[in-house]
Amino acid sequence: MGNKQTTFTDEQLEAFQDCTFFTRKEILRLHGRYRELAPHLVPLDFTNRPDIRVPPTLIVSMPELKENPFRDRIVGTFSEDGLGNMSFNDFVDMFSAFCETSPRELKTVYAFKIYDFNRDSFICKEDLQKTLTKLTKGDLSPEEVSLVCDKSLEEADLDGDHKLSFSDFENMISKAPDFLSNFHIRI
Amino acid sequence: MSSEPQRPGSREVHDYTEEYGYHSDQRSLRRDPPRVSNQNQPQFDWISPHEEEDEEGSSGPPRDLRATPLPMALKRAIRQVQQMQVPVVSSRDSWKRKNAKSLRKLKDCGMGFLSFFSLWSKTLQKIGGNFGGGVQSYFLFLRFLVVLNFVSFLLIAGFVLVPSIVFRSVGAALVNSTGQEACMVYDPNPEGLVVFYNYFLDLLSGTGFMEYSYLFYGYYNNTMVEDKNISYNIPLAYLFTAVFYFVFCLICIIARMGTAARVVVATGSSTVGDYSMIVFTSWDYGCLGDRATKLKQKNIHYQLQVDLEEESIKKRAAALTLSQKIVLYSLRVSMCFVSYGLIIAAFYGIFAATEFSQVKSGQGGILGLFFEYLPSIVITAGNFVVPLLCDQIALIERYSPSTTVIVALLRAVFLRLVSLGVLLFTLWRQITCEGAENTGECKLCQYNHLLYPCWETRVGQEMYKLTLFDFLINIAVLVLVEFPRRMVVDNWSNKLSQWVGRQEFEVPANVLGLVYGQTVVWTGALFCPLLPLINTLKFILLFYFKKITLFHNCRPALKTFRSTTSTFFFLVVLLFGLGLGTVVMIYSLSEIRPSMGCGPFRFFPSMWSIVPTSFNNLSIITQDFLFFIGSQSFSIPLFALSCVVMCYVVALASVYGKSVALLRAQIKLEGRDKQFLVKQIEMLSRRQQILKQTAGASS
């Protein structure tokens, strides 16, 4: 099986395989990608668990994330300090949540966190407006933005508090047929 | 942070987010504890109620750990805890867990191995990333058809082609000649020297050296091989393979529809509209490249605008006065008639062209080739012109945009499939002398033996020509229209070229082309056994050509095509095509007399009649068993049982629907309860504060 790699101990690879949806080969490949971002910062040898964090500006320069309008929110959600400095654990976590085999429930949880800009665990109208503006890069007029946000809230808000809680969001996502295939980053 | 009360039995993910909902700070969303026990009390408590439900071993902790929304370090800590628990847990549980884990590893290995074999997966990923899910669904559909055709070819080769080749020179004729001498005249081989370019013409039209070959029905023999060990009845094999081929295709399509249908059913009866879904789920996170993302944004913008426009159209439609409504509806009805009139005119054109072509058959040279291909030319012209006109008509009808797309698609499907039906009907008319098999030229042999000494081969040739022509037209359009268009648009920058713009990849039109091609193959498979192989090659080449034109000539379409519901729609349309092929096959098997000069069914009154004949050769026990299965005492209980099963499934589905509605109402109630309790808490705390203040003031 080619056990010549010295990046991780076998025990570490087992742990990664149990905690993410990646295989051995893919984890080693991810390590290669992580190291590419900052070769002088990230060591080749992870066996003694170095505590390295790559700053967000380097992470969002990856081709998979570069053009994503929500890249800052994604990186912020998955990083431990909330500011975007990602350790390798966070890096693997992020791509595991976005991979093809990750289940719908997991993706829904993370989608909610990404769209919750002010992190109050509700998606209020301002969060929606920011989401929509990022989506359309200012192509819509402010009245249209407001109209679409009002309509979205009207459709999805079940408990009538004019903001989306996680259960409202989850209920709405379960009706969307394209969610699983769209919420997927190929790495 | 106070410790949360344990809530055994509630959903773990929901628990987790509820807890974070109450406890999250502004500073950081997650922390990285070195050990689990001291800092994050809620998470650690979260895992223990779940441990109590560990009776189901395989869906227990190892699987759930991957799907839990916790940071990696926490997951690893939990995993360590689980591993430390192994000696404490009973040996049976740990054995179950190890089993589940190794099974999962095996499954992952197996998936990895299979994905090695899946065709073109990297290409499809690239297409999906750059052009979106709609275009990718077209290519996925094409890949499905390639695999289906190839497997069907293997089936036919294994049961019909290879035995025919092997047993060509041995074997006895099944039934000796009993018919008229005149009916058995069939001489497909050309006489004497043939001009060189005739080979090329023959290749294109399936005549000459290609007619009397394994390609067509006429070459197969009416033999049955019986040896000491083996016996092989070629006609029976031919018949059963053809029938099984249709059944196999039906099963494959329905299996593939199953997954798509599940999504459609789950999202079908939704009261949630489009806006929230567009805002939250329309961005494709796998989108790569600067140009693709800009287009995706324009796409979303367009979608939202379309939805807003539909809203305003609905409002306007509701505000119409009665007289305006009457005008609109009468306009729609008249336009409907116009479009159906166009379609019927196209059908008449195909009918006339086919008759003319059959009358003029036998002419040589280029003109002869033109006459041979006349039906295909007229069908293709009709398929090209009529949908264009129908699109213009749909614009006049002023439906909402989504309805317009669906109406146009349905009309195009109708046109394509029924035009094929008209061609077949015309052929049938000539073969069976318009249905009256005992009159005129058909009196001698019950089919028109003067015009068609071997009518099955003739039908096979027509289908072969249709397939080939369809392929050539696709290539011609690519080379003569799309590449020049791109070169003109790129190199000439004036107003006209900007307005025309680059080609868009039209998914519905292309999918209909695929369905049409596959329907032709299904119709012709009985008469031209190698047609699935030809179609496999055609579709493989088409994949590469379409890929090239997509990447070089096309820009992503501004109008989207929902990928998941559209897959279901493609498969439904494919089923229509399969239905047409089945009707043709059943009719040919049972109603028309096989040719007496050629083929494995000569001298039989119908193709199906070989089954009763061979039936008598089976052993008595098998015969009795088959009679029993067909008898009433078996079929009636079977029918009753299937009714019971269906009732059960329908009841189950309605119960699920009701419980979904109940749960939705419960969510609403819980939300209101939450608000009420929060208000109560606020009131109580205010009262407490007031009491404290008054107590402090008074003391």
Side-chain angles (χ1 to χ4, degrees):
Chain A
M1 205 41 197
N3 289 350
K4 300 288 198 272
Q5 55 88 21
T6 51
T7 321
F8 295 105
T9 61
D10 279 338
E11 195 265 329
Q12 281 177 315
L13 277 176
E14 285 273 328
F16 274 126
Q17 277 187 298
D18 281 340
C19 298
T20 65
F21 292 99
F22 291 124
T23 61
R24 257 177 90 98
K25 238 186 353 178
E26 288 166 341
I27 291 171
L28 292 169
R29 197 157 43 98
L30 274 174
H31 177 257
R33 293 297 302 271
Y34 187 64
R35 190 148 185 273
E36 257 173 44
L37 296 172
H40 44 275
L41 197 58
V42 177
L44 194 55
D45 191 350
F46 259 71
T47 45
N48 44 0
R49 299 166 196 251
D51 188 21
I52 304 287
R53 307 253 158 103
V54 174
T57 43
L58 288 177
I59 307 231
V60 301
S61 67
M62 287 180 75
E64 286 87 354
L65 289 178
K66 199 163 57 148
E67 304 294 338
N68 197 319
F70 300 110
R71 54 188 177 270
D72 300 312
R73 282 299 305 146
I74 294 173
V75 165
T77 307
F78 283 96
S79 64
E80 287 163 8
D81 57 0
L83 296 173
N85 300 300
M86 297 184 80
S87 65
F88 184 63
N89 279 342
D90 300 332
F91 190 76
V92 173
D93 230 2
M94 173 169 75
F95 285 112
S96 168
F98 275 111
C99 87
E100 210 168 3
T101 38
S102 131
R104 178 180 272 262
E105 296 81 22
L106 187 67
K107 288 187 175 176
T108 313
V109 168
Y110 280 121
F112 186 76
K113 286 200 206 171
I114 289 175
Y115 294 128
D116 183 12
F117 281 75
N118 51 8
R119 297 193 197 160
D120 60 352
S121 51
F122 285 103
I123 296 182
C124 54
K125 188 166 172 190
E126 289 76 36
D127 291 334
L128 260 177
Q129 279 175 330
K130 282 194 202 146
T131 306
L132 197 57
T133 319
K134 275 199 197 274
L135 262 184
T136 56
K137 276 270 174 65
D139 277 336
L140 290 176
S141 69
E143 305 87 44
E144 284 174 334
V145 168
S146 185
L147 181 62
V148 173
C149 290
D150 285 333
K151 279 206 176 299
S152 310
L153 272 177
E154 199 184 296
E155 285 165 359
D157 186 20
L158 286 179
D159 48 17
D161 56 357
H162 301 295
K163 40 190 182 172
L164 300 181
S165 65
F166 179 70
S167 39
D168 298 333
F169 184 77
E170 197 183 11
N171 180 42
M172 185 262 298
I173 290 287
S174 67
K175 299 291 167 46
D178 295 331
F179 174 67
L180 268 185
S181 53
N182 276 345
F183 207 73
H184 165 216
I185 293 184
R186 305 168 178 91
I187 182 108
Chain B
M1 274 188 206
S2 54
S3 60
E4 275 276 302
Q6 295 190 12
R7 282 194 269 171
S10 49
R11 272 190 59 218
E12 312 84 45
V13 171
H14 197 74
D15 260 0
Y16 159 72
T17 47
E18 288 291 319
E19 290 167 7
Y20 264 126
Y22 291 129
H23 299 302
S24 71
D25 288 334
Q26 287 298 326
R27 272 182 297 123
S28 70
L29 213 51
R30 304 161 358 151
R31 297 193 208 129
D32 183 17
R35 295 293 304 268
V36 172
S37 45
N38 45 11
Q39 286 188 27
N40 285 314
Q41 192 70 346
Q43 282 81 19
F44 194 66
D45 283 349
W46 166 88
I47 199 67
S48 33
H50 182 69
E51 286 280 304
E52 291 167 17
E53 309 163 7
D54 199 23
E55 282 88 46
E56 68 278 7
S58 58
S59 63
R63 164 108 147 239
D64 277 340
L65 198 55
R66 293 198 296 182
T68 53
L70 293 175
M72 176 69 73
L74 270 180
K75 283 197 264 195
R76 286 166 85 159
I78 294 173
R79 181 175 166 271
Q80 265 182 342
V81 164
Q82 281 175 4
Q83 282 185 331
M84 286 193 304
Q85 277 183 343
V86 165
V88 179
V89 170
S90 75
S91 61
R92 187 166 143 268
D93 281 338
S94 72
W95 177 80
K96 257 201 259 179
R97 263 193 232 169
K98 246 192 283 179
N99 226 14
K101 214 165 142 182
S102 47
L103 208 69
R104 206 166 28 97
K105 279 223 176 86
L106 198 69
K107 208 169 70 155
D108 283 340
C109 260
M111 298 288 258
F113 185 66
L114 277 179
S115 71
F116 179 72
F117 279 120
S118 78
L119 282 171
W120 300 316
S121 47
K122 281 260 153 54
T123 313
L124 287 169
Q125 257 190 11
K126 211 168 118 187
I127 292 175
N130 283 313
F131 290 94
V135 174
Q136 193 188 21
S137 66
Y138 165 79
F139 283 93
L140 281 169
F141 187 62
L142 182 53
R143 182 177 73 170
F144 166 67
L145 286 178
V146 165
V147 173
L148 185 69
N149 277 300
F150 185 66
V151 175
S152 341
F153 164 67
L154 288 180
L155 208 75
I156 293 178
F159 287 108
V160 173
L161 188 65
V162 169
S164 279
I165 296 176
V166 166
F167 295 136
R168 183 106 194 130
S169 43
V170 300
L174 203 54
V175 176
N176 286 322
S177 69
T178 53
Q180 306 274 357
E181 281 296 319
C183 297
M184 296 197 304
V185 170
Y186 177 57
D187 186 19
N189 290 318
E191 49 271 76
L193 283 177
V194 182
V195 188
F196 176 70
Y197 67 79
N198 268 339
Y199 280 117
F200 183 66
L201 294 177
D202 285 341
L203 186 72
L204 287 181
S205 59
T207 49
F209 76 95
M210 289 199 74
E211 183 165 340
Y212 201 59
S213 67
Y214 282 111
L215 186 61
F216 292 114
Y217 168 98
Y219 194 62
Y220 292 86
N221 271 336
N222 179 14
T223 53
M224 172 156 149
V225 179
E226 258 189 278
D227 209 3
K228 285 177 295 218
N229 305 327
I230 49 165
S231 79
Y232 201 83
N233 190 338
I234 288 186
L236 194 65
Y238 194 95
L239 184 73
F240 276 162
T241 308
V243 172
F244 185 66
Y245 167 57
F246 277 88
V247 171
F248 173 71
C249 288
L250 183 69
I251 292 174
C252 283
I253 294 175
I254 289 188
R256 202 168 161 87
M257 270 171 98
T259 35
R262 220 175 291 154
V263 174
V264 170
V265 164
T267 65
S269 59
S270 63
T271 49
V272 178
D274 291 320
Y275 289 99
S276 39
M277 278 201 260
I278 292 177
V279 173
F280 289 119
T281 64
S282 62
W283 181 262
D284 186 358
Y285 280 66
C287 217
L288 300 168
D290 185 32
R291 213 175 45 153
T293 35
K294 281 214 178 65
L295 281 155
K296 185 76 187 171
Q297 275 167 336
K298 278 215 183 72
N299 201 331
I300 294 176
H301 175 220
Y302 177 84
Q303 259 188 314
L304 288 169
Q305 275 195 328
V306 161
D307 278 334
L308 289 169
E309 192 189 319
E310 284 209 26
E311 283 278 328
S312 64
I313 286 181
K314 263 192 232 165
K315 275 203 205 124
R316 256 189 289 143
L320 282 180
T321 64
L322 187 63
S323 62
Q324 281 176 328
K325 269 195 201 157
I326 291 178
V327 165
L328 186 66
Y329 283 136
S330 57
L331 186 71
R332 281 187 186 165
V333 167
S334 59
M335 281 299 125
C336 219
F337 279 130
V338 168
S339 64
Y340 289 142
L342 268 178
I343 292 177
I344 290 175
F347 291 159
Y348 183 71
I350 294 167
F351 175 73
T354 314
E355 296 234 302
F356 186 69
S357 157
Q358 296 296 335
V359 161
K360 288 279 189 177
S361 71
Q363 271 201 6
I366 295 289
L367 202 61
L369 191 70
F370 176 71
F371 284 137
E372 294 263 359
Y373 269 91
L374 196 60
S376 321
I377 293 173
V378 174
I379 288 182
T380 308
N383 284 335
F384 184 67
V385 167
V386 174
L388 277 181
L389 294 173
C390 280
D391 278 344
Q392 298 303 316
I393 291 175
L395 283 176
I396 299 179
E397 284 174 333
R398 278 189 279 146
Y399 285 118
S400 59
S402 51
T403 322
T404 313
V405 168
I406 293 177
V407 164
L409 265 179
L410 284 177
R411 283 192 183 138
V413 166
F414 183 63
L415 174 70
R416 286 215 125 169
L417 290 183
V418 183
S419 65
L420 187 63
V422 169
L423 173 67
L424 292 166
F425 176 72
T426 322
L427 281 174
W428 170 80
R429 267 179 53 125
Q430 291 181 335
I431 292 172
T432 59
C433 307
E434 300 167 26
E437 274 144 6
N438 285 316
T439 61
E441 294 170 340
C442 300
K443 196 161 173 195
L444 204 56
C445 324
Q446 271 101 55
Y447 62 90
N448 193 340
H449 66 102
L450 293 170
L451 214 49
Y452 302 104
C454 191
W455 62 266
E456 296 95 342
T457 302
R458 201 43 173 293
V459 177
Q461 281 171 336
E462 288 293 333
M463 297 300 126
Y464 172 76
K465 281 186 283 189
L466 275 179
T467 306
L468 217 53
F469 192 67
D470 187 45
F471 180 58
L472 291 174
I473 283 288
N474 267 315
I475 307 278
V477 165
L478 222 90
V479 169
L480 297 176
V481 175
E482 297 191 0
F483 269 101
R485 180 171 169 173
R486 189 211 35 165
M487 285 197 278
V488 163
V489 169
D490 278 352
N491 297 327
W492 246 18
S493 51
N494 63 351
K495 273 243 171 74
L496 181 68
S497 66
Q498 293 306 324
W499 178 73
V500 165
R502 267 199 183 191
Q503 180 83 22
E504 257 184 31
F505 192 84
E506 298 265 341
V507 172
N510 278 299
V511 166
L512 283 180
L514 288 183
V515 169
Y516 170 73
Q518 187 61 47
T519 309
V520 168
V521 167
W522 277 325
T523 323
L526 184 64
F527 309 112
C528 176
L530 290 186
L531 204 55
L533 175 68
I534 294 172
N535 205 35
T536 310
L537 294 171
K538 170 184 162 189
F539 278 162
I540 289 178
L541 288 173
L542 199 67
F543 185 94
Y544 286 112
F545 279 117
K546 288 284 176 187
K547 187 185 90 155
I548 291 172
T549 192
L550 183 70
F551 280 112
H552 286 137
N553 299 342
C554 295
R555 57 182 165 84
L558 216 45
K559 305 185 211 146
T560 47
F561 205 73
R562 270 259 173 83
S563 47
T564 25
T565 45
S566 57
T567 316
F568 186 72
F569 178 69
F570 298 163
L571 291 167
V572 167
V573 175
L574 199 62
L575 273 183
F576 288 158
L578 184 65
L580 180 65
T582 312
V583 163
V584 169
M585 180 193 71
I586 291 179
Y587 188 79
S588 328
L589 279 186
S590 50
E591 291 294 321
I592 312 183
R593 200 201 163 94
S595 313
M596 291 204 234
C598 61
F601 295 103
R602 56 190 106 172
F603 316 132
F604 281 104
S606 76
M607 289 194 209
W608 182 255
S609 55
I610 193 170
V611 174
T613 319
S614 317
F615 190 69
N616 295 328
N617 295 341
L618 289 171
S619 68
I620 300 285
I621 302 177
T622 326
Q623 282 188 25
D624 281 343
F625 179 66
L626 288 173
F627 274 135
F628 172 66
I629 290 189
S631 72
Q632 281 177 335
S633 52
F634 181 79
S635 49
I636 291 187
L638 185 69
F639 179 68
L641 185 67
S642 47
C643 280
V644 166
V645 168
M646 233 180 17
C647 285
Y648 170 71
V649 168
V650 166
L652 202 64
S654 78
V655 160
Y656 281 145
K658 282 201 198 110
S659 53
V660 162
L662 272 176
L663 286 170
R664 216 181 286 159
Q666 198 179 359
I667 290 179
K668 276 198 201 146
L669 278 175
E670 279 192 11
R672 294 212 190 102
D673 285 345
K674 210 170 41 171
Q675 284 177 344
F676 175 70
L677 285 173
V678 164
K679 277 199 204 118
Q680 294 280 66
I681 291 174
E682 278 177 16
M683 248 185 1
L684 281 172
S685 63
R686 239 182 289 143
R687 252 190 245 157
Q688 268 197 339
Q689 271 187 345
I690 293 174
L691 280 174
K692 265 198 219 151
Q693 279 178 357
T694 51
S698 62
S699 66

